[in-house]
Amino acid sequence: MALKAYILINTQIGKTAEVAETLKNMPEVKRLDIIMGPYDIIAEVETKDHDELSDMVIKKLQSIDYIQHTMTCPVIKIED
């Protein structure tokens, strides 16, 4: 079973749409919304396991220009 997580993302002011377009092209990103509040984007992602999630966040996500901060929230139980 795939590991599902939500990633909350802060971007540089004025760069949210550009970051969102980049994220949409990542195969791990299943859903993405631009939001208001302390974060700018919330992304629903799926990976094979925790190691793949960690690699995706550290090697891919955090290397995207204009991302200032991320918070990763793995799903621990899926309700029907």
Side-chain angles (χ1 to χ4, degrees):
M1 186 167 131
L3 174 66
K4 182 177 179 179
Y6 294 95
I7 302 176
L8 304 165
I9 302 164
N10 281 116
T11 66
Q12 184 176 328
I13 293 172
K15 298 296 184 179
T16 300
E18 187 175 332
V19 171
E21 283 302 314
T22 301
L23 293 171
K24 285 179 186 177
N25 295 318
M26 295 176 65
E28 299 90 350
V29 176
K30 303 304 177 191
R31 181 180 168 92
L32 181 138
D33 291 304
I34 294 174
I35 58 176
M36 293 176 60
Y39 292 92
D40 302 305
I41 297 172
I42 185 167
E44 180 183 315
V45 301
E46 284 186 11
T47 60
K48 182 178 65 173
D49 54 30
H50 282 93
D51 290 335
E52 191 174 288
L53 176 63
S54 180
D55 284 346
M56 193 270 295
V57 171
I58 293 168
K59 294 178 181 173
K60 290 184 180 180
L61 198 75
Q62 293 181 350
S63 68
I64 296 172
D65 288 339
Y66 310 120
I67 289 182
Q68 295 182 319
H69 179 263
T70 64
M71 181 190 309
T72 304
C73 305
V75 173
I76 58 170
K77 184 176 181 183
I78 297 176
E79 297 290 333
D80 292 328

